[in-house]
């Protein structure tokens, strides 16, 4: 990409030089040297707006520019939401594991007890509705990310990648994730 830009800039500079006819195409050799001067226009100081005027024009253009036009032009699809949700759940899971791991390492120096037995005993003291809801909310990112990961591994084998199959498997992952998260919550 950089080499292409450098080549384009070099050709543009070459075309603006007065001796560009030396490198012109054979069809252009019959033309006069003044033909190359027609393409060149020098900007005058009166014709160029000030920097403040340029800035004002740019600010006006930015106010009218949509933030993300693809969100308003195209119809939302399940693949968009599942792609975003897969990334979000991956970040939540890895962030949660790192945070708990750091807490587990720091806890003895602070005098906190975050061992499994202590967490299970304190969790068992919660009301049943709150415990089941919390377990389902914790289980959903894990189940969704795992099932959607299997879906992506299936795509890596170049199977089930038609539009209809992608949509169908997407909804299947959503329903299976919800069902498995609720199932895990009642364990």
């Amino acid at each position: 990409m950089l080499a292409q830009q450098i080549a384009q800039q070099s050709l543009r500079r070459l075309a603006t030089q007065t001796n560009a006819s030396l490198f012109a195409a054979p069809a252009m050799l019959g033309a006069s040297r003044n033909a190359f001067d027609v393409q060149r226009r020098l900007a005058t100081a009166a014709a160029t707006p000030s920097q403040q005027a340029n800035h004002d024009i740019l600010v006006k253009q930015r106010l009218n520019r949509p933030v993300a036009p693809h969100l308003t032009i195209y119809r939302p699809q399940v693949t968009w939401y599942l792609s975003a949700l897969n990334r979000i759940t991956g970040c939540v899971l890895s962030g949660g594991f790192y945070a708990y791991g750091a807490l587990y390492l720091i806890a003895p120096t602070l005098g906190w007890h975050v061992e499994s037995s202590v967490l299970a005993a304190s969790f068992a003291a919660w009301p049943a509705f709150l415990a089941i809801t919390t377990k389902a909310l914790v289980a959903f990112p894990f189940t969704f990310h795992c099932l959607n990961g299997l879906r992506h591994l299936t795509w890596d084998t170049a199977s089930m990648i038609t539009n209809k199959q992608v949509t169908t498997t997407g909804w299947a992952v959503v329903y299976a994730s919800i069902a498995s998260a609720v199932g895990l919550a009642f364990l």
Side-chain angles (χ1 to χ4, degrees):
M1 186 76 167
L2 182 62
Q4 184 181 15
Q5 289 175 350
I6 292 171
Q8 286 177 347
Q9 288 176 354
S10 300
L11 288 175
R12 286 181 186 142
R13 287 185 188 132
L14 185 64
T16 58
Q17 293 177 356
T18 56
N19 59 356
S21 63
L22 299 175
F23 303 103
M28 288 297 294
L29 290 178
S32 67
R33 287 191 177 272
N34 293 338
F36 292 102
D37 293 334
V38 174
Q39 295 178 1
R40 193 180 335 162
R41 283 190 293 169
L42 298 175
T44 61
T48 59
S50 67
Q51 287 184 349
Q52 182 62 34
N54 285 340
H55 179 69
D56 293 341
I57 291 169
L58 185 62
V59 168
K60 286 180 186 177
Q61 288 176 346
R62 285 182 180 162
L63 288 176
N64 294 329
R65 189 178 304 153
V67 176
H70 67 281
L71 295 177
T72 59
I73 294 173
Y74 299 113
R75 183 176 51 95
Q77 298 175 359
V78 69
T79 53
W80 296 2
Y81 296 116
L82 295 185
S83 175
L85 190 59
N86 192 40
R87 293 164 196 244
I88 291 168
T89 56
C91 290
V92 166
L93 288 171
S94 61
F97 284 137
Y98 281 123
Y100 180 74
L103 178 68
Y104 191 79
L105 291 174
I106 295 171
T109 60
L110 299 174
W112 296 346
H113 295 283
V114 291
E115 296 89 17
S116 310
S117 59
V118 174
L119 291 177
S122 64
F123 195 71
W126 289 8
F129 176 75
L130 185 60
I132 290 172
T133 304
T134 304
K135 284 175 20 177
L137 289 175
V138 170
F140 178 76
F142 181 75
T143 58
F144 175 79
H145 197 74
C146 288
L147 293 174
N148 205 35
L150 292 175
R151 181 173 167 237
H152 279 269
L153 286 174
T154 303
W155 291 345
D156 290 343
T157 64
S159 59
M160 302 189 77
I161 54 175
T162 65
N163 287 339
K164 185 177 181 188
Q165 290 171 332
V166 167
T167 304
T168 304
T169 57
W171 285 111
V173 163
V174 169
Y175 297 138
S177 298
I178 293 171
S180 60
V182 170
L184 288 172
F186 282 103
L187 288 180

